[in-house]
Each structure stands twice: as structure tokens, then as C-alpha cells.
Amino acid sequence: MRGILIAAAGAATMFTGLVGVAGLPGTAAQAQGHVFVPKKFFTGVTEGTGSVKIVLHKARAIHVRSVGRVEHDGTLVLDQRVEQEGEKPMQRQWRLREGAGGQISGSLSDAKTPVTGKVAGPVLTLSYQMKSGEKVAQVITLAPDGQSALNKMTIHRFGMKVATLEETIRRK
């Protein structure tokens, strides 16, 4: 299970329900220009720190370093190094594209299914299934300063929640 968590953790470490930023509901946030733009936020270097909690285990620290770039076709490519306390570091890659209406689609190197999601105001939601079978849902909420975001992830196996991650991602 621990190796599964390393595989599922990360930013863009990316994909439960939506969480909002206090005082900034979706339409008001958009009117104020507080909209999550993944290409803008994740281009360059970002660092995530937080903790992973696996059912029946104590929480473990996690650190994610990401380097993002946008390819000529508009695809956001995010290369990550994920370090979870007590585990060997791992590398992974996200490839995300934004479509009409804020729809997100793409891939993750350690996912079995395509990544799908949506941007709504300051919130990016993502979901996918890991190669090991766990279903992952991520909610990444952009802070009002635009320089950090809160990533909340839930991981389910056989319909039961088996792990959670909470991480603060900061632009460097």
C-alpha cells in the first residue's frame, strides 16, 4: 500500500468534492480574476510539502518537486520527483490539456486510466485510476495570492477510502 501512495501522491500532484476559498465562490472568484490557470501555475518549478495518511498507519511526510513546461501544442508537461517518508523517491510525468469549458484531459505515467478534470474558478479537480487499481480524486485550490495552492487528495480501493493526502504547493 505504501508504494501505491507514493504513486498516487503529488501535485499536480493533481487530482471527492469541491472545496472553495473563503469568500470566493466560483462566479465571484471569476469576476475578480481569481481563476486557476494550470499552465500559468505549474510552468517552472513548484514544490509541495504535506502529509499522507494511510488507513491504520501514522501520517507520513511527503515532498514533491515539479518542473513544468508547455509544449508547442499547448500540452502542460509536469515532471515530478516524489519523496515520501520511509520510501524510495520516484519520478513521474503528467501531460495535461485544457479543453472547452475548463475541461482537463491527459495522462499520468503511473495511472491506468486517462486523467480527467475541470477548472471552476480557483479550483482544479482531477481524477484517475492508478495501475494498481486505486481510484484517485484530487482537488487543488488556488490561494488568492496565486503563488500557492492546497492539494487535497483521496484514494479509494474497492469503494473504501484507504488514504488521504494534504499538500501545500508553492511556486518557486
Side-chain angles (χ1 to χ4, degrees), residues 9-136:
T13 72
M14 305 262 194
F15 312 54
T16 114
L18 296 177
V19 296
V21 174
L24 289 174
T27 55
Q30 291 169 344
Q32 295 175 18
H34 189 68
V35 176
F36 201 123
V37 180
K39 288 181 191 177
K40 180 178 177 185
F41 184 81
F42 288 111
T43 295
V45 177
T46 54
E47 300 238 356
T49 56
S51 64
V52 175
K53 175 68 174 100
I54 303 171
V55 172
L56 303 177
H57 292 84
K58 69 176 188 158
R60 292 182 172 205
I62 190 160
H63 179 262
V64 181
R65 179 177 169 80
S66 304
V67 179
R69 68 185 185 284
V70 178
E71 294 188 333
H72 296 298
D73 68 355
T75 300
L76 171 64
V77 178
L78 196 60
D79 293 308
Q80 294 184 321
R81 177 180 170 89
V82 180
E83 299 173 0
Q84 181 181 320
E85 181 182 357
E87 299 292 331
K88 289 173 31 176
M90 68 162 285
Q91 300 288 129
R92 68 193 227 166
Q93 185 180 77
W94 294 85
R95 299 183 64 80
L96 300 173
R97 291 171 295 289
E98 188 168 351
Q103 295 297 314
I104 301 288
S105 62
S107 63
L108 175 59
S109 58
D110 50 344
K112 177 180 177 179
T113 64
V115 174
T116 60
K118 184 170 179 70
V119 173
V123 180
L124 167 63
T125 58
L126 298 167
S127 61
Y128 50 92
Q129 185 175 11
M130 301 306 298
K131 289 179 181 174
S132 52
E134 291 78 13
K135 292 183 179 178
V136 180

Side-chain angles (χ1 to χ4, degrees), residues 34 40-41 46-47 142-149 168-172:
H34 189 68
K40 180 178 177 185
F41 184 81
T46 54
E47 300 238 356
L142 184 66
D145 67 5
Q147 296 301 302
S148 64
T168 300
I169 305 167
R170 291 185 175 81
R171 293 180 41 77
K172 293 292 176 180

